[in-house]
Amino acid sequence: MGACGSALMKPCLGETDVRYDANYPKTIVETDARWEKLTGYFKVNVTSFDPVDGGAAQPGPYIESVIQTHASPFDSSRTIAFYNHTVDGSRLIVNRYYFKPPAPFGFCQIPFEPPAMNAQPGSTCGVNGQVDFAGVYASLTHEHDGTLKIGRATGSYANSEDGIWDTGEGSYAKLTDDSTFEFSFVRPDEFSSVSSFVFFDDDTASLSAVHTMIPMQRIISVNTATMVRISEEEFLAGIEEYNEAFQVPQPIQAPMTSDEVAKYDGTFPAEEDWCGGVMLDVSCTPSPYVEPDAQMKGGVIALFVILGVLLFSSVALFFHRKAIETQKKRYKEHFIRGIARNITISDSAGRVSPEQLKKEFDHIDKDKGGTISKDELKTFLKGGKVGDISDKDVEAMWAAIDIDNSGEVDFVEFIAFLGSCGTEFDSISKEQKAMSKADKLKYASQRLSTRCLTMMSDPELVSMLRSPKMQDVMKLLMTDGQEALEEVMKTDQETIMGACGSALMKPCLGETDVRYDANYPKTIVETKLTGYFKVNVTSFDPVDGGAAQPGPYIESVIQTHWSPFDASRTIGFYNHTVDGSRLIVNRYYFKPPAPFGFCQIPFEPPAMNAQPGSTCGVNGLVDFAGVYASLTHENDGTLKIGRATGSYANSAEDGIWDTGEGSYTKLTDDSTFEFTFVRPDEFSSVQSFVFFDDDTAALSAVHTMIPMQRIISVNTATMVRISEEEFLAGIEEYNEAFQVPQPIQAPMTSDEVAKYDGTFPAEEDWCGGVMSDVSCTPSPYVEPDAQMKGGVIALFVILGVLLFSSVALFFHRKAIETQKKRYKEHFIRGIARNITISDSAGRVSPEQLKKEFDHIDKDKGGTISKDELKTFLKSGKVGDISDKDVEAMWSAIDIDNSGEVDFVEFIAFLGSCGTEFDSISKEQKAMSKADKLKYASQRLSTRCLVMPPDVDKSADEEKEGEENA
């Protein structure tokens, strides 16, 4: 039939859904060349913050079996790191080395109560530093979306006894825009980590990372860093340098080369781990998204279905005709057996003497009226001496023997019927010769009690083919053609053939791919994130790790942590509203007035110590932002963020930032919600909400300004659920407490937000503008038209081919019938030269018939030869006749294939020419003899039909062909 996309088939699914594209790149760089930026060696200068007070991370005691983070007994404030990112085909391997110098002298003097210690085992406090090694292993997946699944993390990322953490679902690495790479690690109910690499050019980047320990119900580490590309030699030399400079003990020094890493404590993934173990590497695992079997186009399916229906009807008609033939044979044999009671049957009616035939006719004609009535025939057939015969067979026989439908059978019709029973004469003759009369009758009775054919069909298929809808479709094909049928199939194929998953059809694609599931939920389930929250925010200076300090206001410059307010003690309020498929976030950050000392600093214009309309040290600020997201047709639970407003827009004059691709929010595990905002080449923000229970959570946020080539803001916060009343009261309270000027006070209620400077998305924004809300946009993933099961398609194709043959056979038979009519008319016209034709052969006198027979029988041998018939037909007086028609006529008239035509065969052939007798009779009655001959000559000089090349088959060949069919 051809593959998908060929002439008869629909386009391949892979043309619209890359997951089904078998030719999609299988290597990371081929998928997206931008991954090359991340590949290579980097030296990293790390700043670590204390997430509680916002200061630089301080050393803390070592306690065995307790997770060590920023509180490890080393100087974490000045960490030096090295990264090696290796891309190997479809795999990404990250080796990370964090060198922490020895703890300061003062820390080492602190007396700790056991089991707390001021140094790790094998180290001396203030003397030995540490190398914190970690490995990350990720691979491309069959989703073909460029995302890499992180399957394993090792070393400090694992923090387990065997140093291995097989991450499971929700851990990934991806490129969110041209410059930003995002890594997310999730260990449900234990740990979450979000890291971002933002590249300013090919060789420099910023790194931010926030780690949250869920059992401890807090953010445990916040890091920012600058990254610079180095060579492999500098990478290896740097590791050696800091192992020595920080006096890292030999037993805990990390592996350096790839070979060493591969052997490191058995943590490097084995091939079976990559290939279906903890990962599903696209290069060595089978895809769950296999291009479905090619689907025929609707019109092609329709054509084959209709051909199948027509063939079903044709086959039914064939078997019906076969049954009729069987019935004919049955009643003819019954009739000859009745005659055989009184006379000895020869192998041909022509070899039974005229006296015997006349005697048998008179025997049946009980009332001696010269014709046989239906009742007289029934009495003869139901005499009981030759076995039983059904009323149905009697009626069928009467319809065959009463050729002119006059209600009576004359002697010619009787002889004609006997002439059509040649096979039965031969059969009964052989039986009579081989067995006694009693045996004959017994054997005949047994044969007549057995049916020869049973129709077998698939009940469901038969039901479909017989349905009123299918009948209507068949009529449409016959009347309006295939184009009209194709239009119907576009809209009604499911009604006609059944939906996907039905008996004739393959399963629906939506059963294995939720994107194609039309019944997938269209609303967001209300979660822990929904509702009102009060937030206490700690903001860090990303440069020195200290608390964020106020900075001057400069018009037209993006204001961040250095705005002229006390950003170190921000109070926030969140309202997360779920409306069906939409999520609306309203965020309010209240910053108190700047401290007195800052207001005394003289700034050179255009820098100012306060925003317009505010007084430094007197007025605070409310920083309002809105986020608008909706479910997408990906049906994966991710919400696309389509718009951000207020301070998130910051650089937009109208306060609107339509975020575009790469901005989303999703639930990465039962406790963690992640928000990512990306504005290519401008801004990126990664935020995590980690819930410890239904009412409390930790919030972390890292914002990077790409044009400034630096992280501009790092925040951590604790969140507590409050009521709507507390939410509204809190906003009023801090507007007043921080003396926020009236013109810049933010909207409070949902109605006010919706009207706020026209930034709230209009319905057209939700529905295909900046968003593609699942509830009001059409899905690009539409369940394909139902595909017939392979066997059903094959059945209809074969049925279609057979029907083509059946139709050809039908037209062949039609041509044969036309030929028969033609040569019969020619024959009767020849006879009409000598006698007046009545409307039935039975009404022509026996003398006239005998005289015409003798006229054709030139050698007076009592039979007509083929040459004698040809001479009669080609005499030229009644028009020309082709040799092909002469041959066909001879096959019809020489019933017993003896090579000669006797008088009975001659009469039988005349008996089959009822229609032609009637036609010629009407012509003779309507005109003079001269006109008759003239008109007949004109008519016979014109051929009415050109026959196909194979119409000159003999009667036996025709019959054999029919039986074979």
Side-chain angles (χ1 to χ4, degrees), residues 58 60 110 138 420 513 684 839 962:
Q58 300 298 317
I110 301 173
S420 72
D513 187 341
S684 73
D839 57 2
E962 292 175 12

Side-chain angles (χ1 to χ4, degrees), residues 454-758:
T454 301
M455 291 291 289
M456 298 293 290
S457 298
D458 181 336
E460 185 169 5
L461 181 59
V462 172
S463 174
M464 182 200 74
L465 297 178
R466 289 177 174 170
S467 68
K469 189 73 179 178
M470 186 60 75
Q471 299 304 314
D472 290 342
V473 171
M474 289 173 63
K475 291 175 186 175
L476 180 66
L477 178 65
M478 298 304 183
T479 56
D480 295 343
Q482 185 179 336
E483 289 186 4
L485 176 65
E486 289 182 1
E487 288 302 314
V488 170
M489 289 299 285
K490 287 177 183 176
T491 56
D492 269 7
Q493 179 173 324
E494 184 173 309
T495 307
I496 297 166
M497 298 297 299
C500 56
S502 64
L504 299 180
M505 300 299 178
K506 290 184 179 179
C508 301
L509 189 57
E511 293 180 21
T512 55
D513 187 341
V514 294
R515 300 188 302 173
Y516 292 87
D517 182 0
N519 298 316
Y520 197 83
K522 297 290 191 294
T523 61
I524 304 168
V525 177
E526 293 208 1
T527 61
K528 293 176 182 178
L529 190 66
T530 310
Y532 301 91
F533 297 88
K534 183 177 181 180
V535 183
N536 288 291
V537 183
T538 300
S539 298
F540 311 115
D541 186 317
V543 178
D544 60 19
Q549 300 298 318
Y553 172 81
I554 303 173
E555 191 172 6
S556 78
V557 173
I558 296 171
Q559 302 304 311
T560 55
H561 63 285
W562 64 81
S563 57
F565 303 96
D566 184 358
S568 65
R569 52 191 183 103
T570 299
I571 302 295
F573 294 91
Y574 278 83
N575 173 12
H576 297 142
T577 302
V578 168
D579 180 13
S581 56
R582 303 171 183 179
L583 172 67
I584 301 165
V585 177
N586 296 324
R587 189 214 69 178
Y588 305 77
Y589 271 24
F590 287 93
K591 298 178 181 180
F596 176 78
F598 171 79
C599 296
Q600 306 308 307
I601 299 173
F603 293 105
E604 291 292 325
M608 299 184 292
N609 64 7
Q611 289 186 354
S614 297
T615 300
C616 185
V618 175
N619 300 118
L621 171 79
V622 59
D623 179 359
F624 170 74
V627 176
Y628 307 97
S630 65
L631 284 174
T632 72
H633 294 286
E634 295 299 313
N635 290 353
D636 60 356
T638 298
L639 281 67
K640 179 184 183 299
I641 298 174
R643 175 171 289 182
T645 62
S647 63
Y648 280 138
N650 220 348
S651 62
E653 292 183 8
D654 58 4
I656 297 175
W657 170 24
D658 292 335
T659 57
E661 295 303 318
S663 297
Y664 63 87
T665 176
K666 67 178 181 180
L667 209 165
T668 55
D669 66 3
D670 289 343
S671 304
T672 305
F673 298 83
E674 183 180 306
F675 284 71
T676 295
F677 306 89
V678 175
R679 196 163 190 173
D681 301 322
E682 291 188 38
F683 175 78
S684 73
S685 171
V686 179
Q687 303 178 21
S688 292
F689 298 80
V690 182
F691 278 79
F692 308 125
D693 53 41
D694 288 345
D695 298 324
T696 57
L699 164 63
S700 63
V702 177
H703 310 297
T704 302
M705 195 57 63
I706 296 170
M708 300 172 69
Q709 297 195 2
R710 64 176 175 171
I711 295 171
I712 56 173
S713 175
V714 179
N715 302 324
T716 62
T718 55
M719 294 176 62
V720 178
R721 188 180 300 279
I722 58 176
S723 66
E724 182 179 10
E725 292 74 17
E726 291 172 316
F727 172 81
L728 295 173
I731 292 174
E732 283 197 17
E733 174 187 348
Y734 285 95
N735 268 324
E736 182 177 342
F738 292 171
Q739 297 187 53
V740 177
Q742 185 65 37
I744 63 170
Q745 289 186 13
M748 292 168 58
T749 66
S750 296
D751 286 344
E752 288 177 314
V753 170
K755 298 169 185 174
Y756 182 58
D757 289 342

Side-chain angles (χ1 to χ4, degrees), residues 740-815:
V740 177
Q742 185 65 37
I744 63 170
Q745 289 186 13
M748 292 168 58
T749 66
S750 296
D751 286 344
E752 288 177 314
V753 170
K755 298 169 185 174
Y756 182 58
D757 289 342
T759 61
F760 192 91
E763 196 64 16
E764 54 267 28
D765 295 322
W766 289 104
C767 302
V770 295
M771 287 169 277
S772 295
D773 181 1
V774 71
S775 70
C776 60
T777 56
S779 174
Y781 307 111
V782 180
E783 180 72 48
D785 290 342
Q787 301 180 53
M788 283 192 290
K789 293 174 181 173
V792 178
I793 292 177
L795 173 62
F796 280 133
V797 170
I798 299 304
L799 289 177
V801 172
L802 291 177
L803 180 60
F804 181 80
S805 304
S806 300
V807 170
L809 180 60
F810 167 76
F811 284 113
H812 173 67
R813 285 179 171 172
K814 194 77 175 171

Side-chain angles (χ1 to χ4, degrees), residues 128-143:
N128 299 117
Q130 179 194 39
V131 59
D132 180 359
F133 171 75
V136 177
Y137 307 96
S139 66
L140 282 175
T141 73
H142 293 286
E143 294 299 314

